[in-house]
Every structure is written in C-alpha cells, then in structure tokens.
Amino acid sequence: MKDTSIKVAIELAKEGEASGVVSAGNSGATMALAMYLFKKLEGVDRPAIATTHPTMMGLTVLIDSGGNVDCKPFHLVQFGMMGDAYAKYILGTQEPRIGVLSNGEEEGKGNELTREVHEILSKTDMNYIGYVEGRDLNSGEVDVIVCDGFVGNVALKISEGLWETISAIFKWEAQDNIRAKVAYFLMGRAMRRLEKRLDYSEYGGAPLLGINGNCV
C-alpha cells in the first residue's frame, strides 16, 4: 500500500493539508490505513463504521456497519459510547436512545455476546433502552443501534435494497392498467420525496469513528 491513493490522502490529512479523507474504495483497507496513520483515539480499541438510516422522526445511527466482524463485549460497549457521542454532537440528538440489536426485545433474547453487552450498558450513564430488533432500524424508536460489524453489515445491505425493491414494485404495478399508470404519474412528486427519504445514496458516506482524524 506504499503509494495507494487512500494512503496518500490520509497522509495529506494527517499533515494538515486536507481536512479529512473520503474513500470509495475497500473499507477494510481504508480502516486499516486510517488506524495506522491517524492512530486510534485514547481509550478506543477498535474504530467502527457509523451509518445513518432514515426514520419517521429523523435518523438512526447503526454502529458497527462492517468494520469489525468478530467482537468482544467491551468493543460493542465502546461502539455504543461512540454512537452516543456522534448522535449527540453531530446529529444534534438530545439524550440519544441506545439499543443493542438482537433477535427480540425480551430480556432473555440474544446470544452470549449481546447479553453481556446488555448487562454492561444497563449500568452506564447512557440512555440505554435495551434490546431492539431489525425493524427498529427505521422505526424512530431508537437513536443508536449497537451491533458487531457482521450483523451490522447484513442489516445495512438489507436497508440499502429497500428503496430499490419498493420502486421496482411500484413501477411493475403501474403497468397493470391505465388507471394505475395515471395514479403512478400523479404520485410522481410524492415518489421523489419518498426516494430522498429511503434511498441510501442520499445520505452520503459513513464516518469511521474512534480515530484521530476525519475519515469517511
């Protein structure tokens, strides 16, 4: 990676010749170089990727969205802290509600990892509300969803395909008859507004939290 563009970009940012780095390349390579050159913030074991997802009430942060596939409980606790700070100071959310992504909201749900994270977060000063489910990614009932990078990336990819599926279904159904075509035409503005709310490409890149620099 001696002369790769991402390495050169991070070095320029580190030297103060750029305010930050935006990469459209491999997220793993970007994360590794950012950790090596920017260094991690004090107290952070693993940086994490934070993505924002639209809800009826604003945005929900999903962290980690793919940076760390295998995690230990204290990693997820740190993700929760970073997500809390991001929601509070960047998105302007007062008292962000933090939840751990699980297979149910009941106390006994989850696996060994999520149960231990749940226990630790319950004892912090953060506004931890407990387990949340995949549907809460867009429900607006939680502001920060914490998970490992494997689960987070799966949730992210499902979310990214949401608008494409909805749009394709609408277009298909509009071909049924003339009334459907007229209705689809009249709904043009509403569809474009809906697209801006649901299309993941409208929300830009995802910041890498936990490093001593700006990297997206």
Side-chain angles (χ1 to χ4, degrees):
M1 296 184 181
K2 184 177 180 180
D3 296 314
T4 60
S5 60
I6 184 60
K7 183 174 184 292
V8 173
I10 293 175
E11 287 176 338
L12 289 172
K14 183 180 179 181
E15 293 166 4
E17 296 187 40
S19 298
V21 177
V22 177
S23 172
N26 182 277
S27 58
T30 301
M31 181 173 175
L33 283 168
M35 288 175 60
Y36 176 70
L37 295 172
F38 278 140
K39 307 301 181 185
K40 295 178 291 185
L41 292 175
E42 184 178 354
V44 174
D45 285 275
R46 292 187 184 180
I49 298 172
T51 54
T52 52
H53 300 261
T55 74
M56 292 298 293
M57 305 174 192
L59 295 173
T60 290
V61 177
L62 178 68
I63 183 170
D64 180 23
S65 292
N68 304 277
V69 175
D70 297 307
C71 296
K72 294 182 179 180
F74 69 90
H75 293 139
L76 268 68
V77 173
Q78 290 182 0
F79 297 165
M81 293 177 177
M82 291 190 287
D84 177 67
Y86 184 75
K88 190 178 297 180
Y89 298 110
I90 302 300
L91 300 182
T93 306
Q94 295 185 357
E95 294 296 321
R97 296 160 296 176
I98 316 296
V100 170
L101 188 58
S102 185
N103 61 334
E105 298 178 351
E106 297 83 1
E107 193 75 20
K109 291 289 188 176
N111 54 24
E112 185 177 347
L113 173 64
T114 59
R115 284 193 289 270
E116 191 166 342
V117 174
H118 171 72
E119 184 177 350
I120 297 172
L121 287 178
S122 298
K123 299 175 182 177
T124 67
D125 293 331
M126 291 187 291
N127 185 19
Y128 178 63
I129 63 172
Y131 290 137
V132 295
E133 299 182 66
R135 64 187 178 191
D136 291 309
L137 189 60
N138 303 105
S139 71
E141 298 297 322
V142 60
D143 301 303
V144 179
I145 296 179
V146 178
C147 58
D148 63 66
F150 180 85
V151 173
N153 196 253
V154 172
L156 172 65
K157 298 305 181 184
I158 293 173
S159 178
E160 286 179 348
L162 177 62
W163 168 249
E164 294 175 2
T165 301
I166 293 175
S167 179
I169 291 173
F170 265 100
K171 289 178 181 178
W172 176 265
E173 292 295 333
Q175 305 305 313
D176 187 49
N177 55 59
I178 188 64
R179 289 184 179 179
K181 291 180 180 179
V182 171
Y184 183 77
F185 175 77
L186 294 175
M187 290 176 61
R189 287 187 178 180
M191 289 292 290
R192 286 191 290 273
R193 289 197 299 270
L194 182 62
E195 179 179 9
K196 289 186 73 68
R197 288 182 66 90
L198 296 180
D199 188 356
Y200 70 93
S201 64
E202 293 288 334
Y203 293 86
L208 180 61
L209 304 184
I211 57 170
N212 192 25
N214 298 317
C215 185
V216 177

